[in-house]
Amino acid sequence: MKETNLQTKEEILTSALPYIQRYEGTTFVIKYGGAAMTDEALKESFAKDVTLLKKIGINVVIVHGGGNAVTDLSQKLGMETRFVGGQRYTDTATLETVVMTLAGSVNKEVVALVNRAGGNAVGLCGIDNNLLTAKKYAPKGYDLGLVGEIEQVNVEWLNKLIASGVMPVIAPVGVSTDGQIYNINADIAASSIAQALGAEKLFFLTDTEGVLLDGELVPTLTNARAQQLIKQEVITGGMIPKVNAAFEALANGVKKVHLINGAARHSLLLEIFTHEGVGTQIIREEKVFGNPTKPKIGYRSSDAAPVRTHSKHDLLDLTVMTKQDVEDLMHLTDVLKHTDVKPLTGKHVTLLFQKPSLRTRVSFEVAVSQLGATSLYLANEGIGLGEREPVADVAKVLSSYSDCIVARLFDHNVLLGLAEHASIPVVNALTDFGHPCQILADLYTIRQHGKLEPGLKIAFIGDGNNVAHSWLEMSAIYPMHLAIAAPAGYHPDPKILEYANQSGISTIEILDDPRVAADSADVIYTDVWTSMGQEAEQVARKKAFHSFQVNKGLLQLAHPNALIMHCLPAHRGEEITDEAIDSRNSVIFLQAENRLHVQKAILTTLLASPEANFFQKEEPSSFIPLKHDEEPATI
Ligand code: CP
Ligand code: NVA
């Protein structure tokens, strides 16, 4: 029993690690209000939570409310409270009570609370050093008196305070350039401050779990959905300004906004450090692969004309992905590796394979099963794609039974045809032209070893084939020095080379000498000389490639810690020697393992509904470096 408890604790601690790495050095703005400000136990847990965040390197800025305290004091003083259009009218006397309470007693109480927990809080209001410059808020048809709207945040000074190691606790009171003090809505103040700081996250602590629909928490909310729920009066009252302030923050650089229940203990930590979260997160838009502004190209191996390939969320090649997409995918991979979740429950994936496969087939089948979906493997002999019946008909029929087609085909054009006629996502599980899923897993492997950084040199030794093509596509996303050494006549397709060069992202060299490519490389990558479908050329290829073997001599030219990579299957003794595959610098079997983790992220990104909250909830670390032997290769 005791051991199980410890195990659980250990799991909790280690599952938080990716999030800690991800958020270190970033800024979180927290709007503190409601029950979390009045209940003693909740106050304590809030103070501990923000202190913990600060201690692990997150810059925390608190903006607090305190409307009840203002009302209480006004009543004690026998003052009348006037409401205009449902909002408090701030006359001169009310403003005095606002300053006395918000910038006075309430602010100091929060500061004392946080400091008792060790949080180094410093109390401020918007008047201090013109932190919040404001002007009179004048909505159409209302006069709210001395209520202000923020014109400017003294962000330079705020950043200096943060850099000095303190936690600013800000009362929402502003001042105009001519010295008039204004009462400011705390939600709007928090949103403006988060925007000015370019905060990673903005939290609103409310007294409900978040946005509720039929009693159920809505975990993720886009603007379109929020406006719909406001119309349907699902989102009402005080939640409306919060939701609107959230979208304004998102439109102006804040990465994510969370509405969480301040009335539940440690909701802040649970929202940040668990995948499931406990509140509603407000996001910009539904996430899909591909930036619509990015020029897209398609390839036809037999026809030079570009074709449209990405009308829906297919993964046919890597040109559909932006750097952010790749980063998101890797973060999601981290999450799915550490979490047992089933975002694809009820879905069905069809695997349609014209060529043999071990890794791709098994990793997709296992990924599907681990994500809660079902799959069916169809070998082409039984289907006769384009022979027994047209590709378009197969696409339409499979679309009516399943939710995704993962296809391994010879001709890339057939894949394009399949995608064009399928109404469900199509994933390229390898064609003669490209192997995008492989390269995504390979990039993840490189990142695991801490090598995905500026200056990365990848030497691709061997055939300018499908795998090399996908590396070229990746070089148009991630900056790298990609040196491809291949014998004359076996260079990559000039069209894709041109695409990669035109992107201007990476340095690309096509070389005839593997030794030049390998020189000081951080990664030595190879693939078979004879790919599936080229068996008739085997003898000629062996001859042409004989000096392109990855062996001890070649590896000695690379960086001593260079990773040795191969997508597998390998023809040991041809493109790579046993000692290279089995050397301590080889990450070849980890590449194979990572196919599973990355396939899970690919399928989740393409198939999980936004409400399932998977491709948004994420974002743990940029990478968790593996311990890799620092000693030079021994071969
Ligand atoms: N690397 C790879 O795609 O392996 P399989 O051909 O076995 O799927
Ligand atoms: N280039 C190889 C890759 C195998 C994963 C092939 O197409 O056979």
Side-chain angles (χ1 to χ4, degrees):
M1 188 67 196
K2 206 172 158 200
E3 204 171 282
T4 316
N5 270 342
L6 277 177
Q7 214 175 351
T8 313
K9 279 184 188 164
E10 186 191 309
E11 275 164 22
I12 292 169
L13 289 169
T14 52
S15 67
L17 179 65
Y19 295 92
I20 295 173
Q21 287 181 318
R22 168 102 174 139
Y23 296 132
E24 191 184 357
T26 65
T27 301
F28 289 5
V29 175
I30 301 167
K31 155 67 202 308
Y32 180 45
M37 271 184 93
T38 49
D39 177 278
E40 287 307 317
L42 293 174
K43 280 159 65 173
E44 288 289 327
S45 79
F46 173 79
K48 281 186 185 154
D49 289 1
V50 291
T51 301
L52 188 142
L53 294 178
K54 183 165 184 301
K55 298 288 179 202
I56 60 173
I58 294 168
N59 304 315
V60 178
V61 175
I62 297 171
V63 180
H64 62 79
N68 289 346
V70 176
T71 310
D72 288 352
L73 182 62
S74 301
Q75 277 170 0
K76 268 189 213 158
L77 296 173
M79 290 163 53
E80 255 183 52
T81 306
R82 232 177 97 201
F83 285 91
V84 177
Q87 296 188 61
R88 186 198 306 265
Y89 182 87
T90 305
D91 57 17
T92 315
T94 308
L95 184 70
E96 252 183 79
T97 59
V98 165
V99 176
M100 280 162 73
T101 49
L102 293 193
S105 54
V106 173
N107 185 268
K108 298 313 145 203
E109 194 192 322
V110 179
V111 170
L113 180 76
V114 174
N115 283 344
R116 211 167 51 231
N120 299 92
V122 166
L124 306 163
C125 78
I127 306 167
D128 297 303
N129 204 13
N130 297 320
L131 178 58
L132 304 176
T133 307
K135 65 174 185 189
K136 184 176 162 70
Y137 174 55
K140 251 196 200 145
Y142 294 115
D143 178 12
L144 295 171
L146 295 169
V147 172
E149 63 178 319
I150 296 173
E151 287 190 299
Q152 210 179 338
V153 177
N154 186 349
V155 70
E156 211 175 297
W157 180 58
L158 192 54
N159 272 325
K160 275 189 196 151
L161 285 175
I162 294 169
S164 76
V166 300
M167 187 191 306
V169 173
I170 303 170
V173 176
V175 65
S176 70
T177 41
D178 56 7
Q180 174 63 55
I181 295 172
Y182 286 108
N183 179 14
I184 293 180
N185 174 290
D187 293 334
I188 294 171
S191 174
S192 301
I193 291 166
Q195 290 169 47
L197 289 168
E200 179 79 19
K201 287 182 183 293
L202 166 63
F203 295 89
F204 290 109
L205 263 62
T206 70
D207 286 348
T208 64
E209 276 178 64
V211 174
L212 299 175
L213 178 59
D214 298 330
E216 294 274 314
L217 179 73
V218 178
T220 306
L221 202 57
T222 57
N223 204 355
R225 182 87 175 116
Q227 299 315 324
Q228 202 182 27
L229 293 178
I230 289 173
K231 253 193 210 150
Q232 294 168 354
E233 297 188 359
V234 172
I235 299 177
T236 53
M239 196 55 103
I240 297 176
K242 281 191 202 330
V243 167
N244 288 333
F247 285 113
E248 198 187 315
L250 287 176
N252 290 295
V254 175
K255 291 223 181 99
K256 202 174 279 183
V257 185
H258 302 253
L259 296 175
I260 54 171
N261 188 2
R265 289 183 68 181
H266 300 300
S267 51
L268 200 53
L269 294 188
L270 291 171
E271 178 70 3
I272 296 167
F273 295 119
T274 64
H275 171 67
E276 299 79 9
V278 291
T280 296
Q281 60 176 348
I282 313 248
I283 55 172
R284 275 199 198 101
E285 61 190 37
E286 196 178 313
K287 182 80 181 71
V288 293
F289 282 152
N291 174 349
T293 61
K294 186 176 173 182
K296 296 185 175 33
I297 61 162
Y299 311 107
R300 281 181 182 271
S301 46
S302 54
D303 164 5
V307 292
R308 182 181 60 83
T309 60
H310 307 305
S311 55
K312 58 190 154 55
H313 309 159
D314 302 315
L315 180 56
L316 306 180
D317 59 52
L318 295 173
T319 67
V320 73
M321 295 182 84
T322 62
K323 189 164 181 244
Q324 189 62 51
D325 290 332
V326 176
E327 277 169 10
D328 288 349
L329 192 86
M330 292 195 288
H331 298 149
L332 182 58
T333 304
D334 288 336
V335 169
L336 293 171
K337 251 171 90 172
H338 295 285
T339 332
D340 181 20
V341 286
K342 309 232 172 301
L344 302 190
T345 301
K347 306 254 181 202
H348 181 78
V349 176
T350 302
L351 277 76
L352 179 55
F353 279 43
Q354 286 180 327
K355 298 184 186 188
S357 171
L358 173 68
R359 281 145 291 273
T360 311
R361 174 185 174 177
V362 178
S363 60
F364 265 114
E365 289 203 25
V366 174
V368 164
S369 152
Q370 289 185 358
L371 294 169
T374 52
S375 65
L376 184 66
Y377 174 84
L378 302 176
N380 193 48
E381 298 85 76
I383 307 303
L385 193 62
E387 288 164 6
R388 184 167 179 264
E389 59 184 314
V391 172
D393 292 0
V394 173
K396 285 178 198 159
V397 172
L398 289 179
S399 300
S400 71
Y401 300 145
S402 62
D403 301 284
C404 179
I405 301 171
V406 174
R408 168 166 285 200
L409 308 175
F410 287 95
D411 189 345
H412 197 73
N413 288 331
V414 176
L415 182 81
L416 299 183
L418 201 58
E420 196 176 329
H421 295 282
S423 58
I424 55 176
V426 174
V427 177
N428 180 358
L430 181 146
T431 64
D432 290 346
F433 201 82
H435 198 3
C437 299
Q438 175 72 51
I439 273 40
L440 288 167
D442 296 340
L443 198 81
Y444 184 80
T445 309
I446 292 171
R447 170 180 171 269
Q448 260 184 324
H449 290 84
K451 295 203 183 262
L452 193 55
E453 47 188 34
L456 167 70
K457 180 178 179 184
I458 298 178
F460 184 98
I461 311 293
D463 192 14
N465 60 13
N466 43 11
V467 173
H469 287 172
S470 293
W471 267 118
L472 280 165
E473 288 177 346
M474 184 56 87
S475 77
I477 303 174
Y478 254 96
M480 61 181 72
H481 176 178
L482 179 60
I484 298 179
Y490 296 96
H491 287 183
D493 185 312
K495 189 149 50 73
I496 188 163
L497 188 59
E498 189 190 335
Y499 166 77
N501 272 323
Q502 271 180 1
S503 77
I505 304 285
S506 294
T507 306
I508 296 160
E509 288 182 290
I510 305 294
L511 303 158
D512 294 321
D513 185 350
R515 300 175 65 84
V516 178
D519 184 32
S520 310
D522 302 296
V523 172
I524 299 282
Y525 197 110
T526 190
D527 183 17
V528 289
W529 294 339
T530 305
S531 285
M532 292 177 276
Q534 298 171 333
E535 290 75 10
E537 302 169 26
Q538 194 169 0
V539 175
R541 283 177 168 268
K542 257 187 163 173
K543 212 167 142 200
F545 282 95
H546 78 275
S547 61
F548 288 76
Q549 186 185 60
V550 172
N551 54 28
K552 187 175 172 179
L554 194 74
L555 289 169
Q556 274 166 354
L557 301 170
H559 188 283
N561 293 325
L563 304 180
I564 302 169
M565 301 184 78
H566 191 311
C567 56
L568 296 178
H571 296 161
R572 287 173 178 251
E574 287 188 18
E575 76 277 1
I576 190 163
T577 57
D578 282 336
E579 55 180 354
I581 292 192
D582 301 324
S583 89
R584 67 168 72 181
N585 283 22
S586 164
V587 293
I588 291 170
F589 293 98
L590 185 60
Q591 278 175 267
E593 180 195 319
N594 283 336
R595 297 294 306 278
L596 168 65
H597 305 306
V598 174
Q599 317 294 37
K600 286 171 76 175
I602 292 170
L603 291 171
T604 301
T605 306
L606 291 174
L607 300 183
S609 71
E611 283 73 29
N613 204 11
F614 278 93
F615 31 95
Q616 299 295 344
K617 200 72 182 182
E618 58 38 63
E619 315 157 13
S621 84
S622 40
F623 75 90
I624 306 171
L626 281 186
K627 283 200 183 88
H628 191 64
D629 213 309
E630 283 303 304
E631 283 176 35
T634 51
I635 57 170

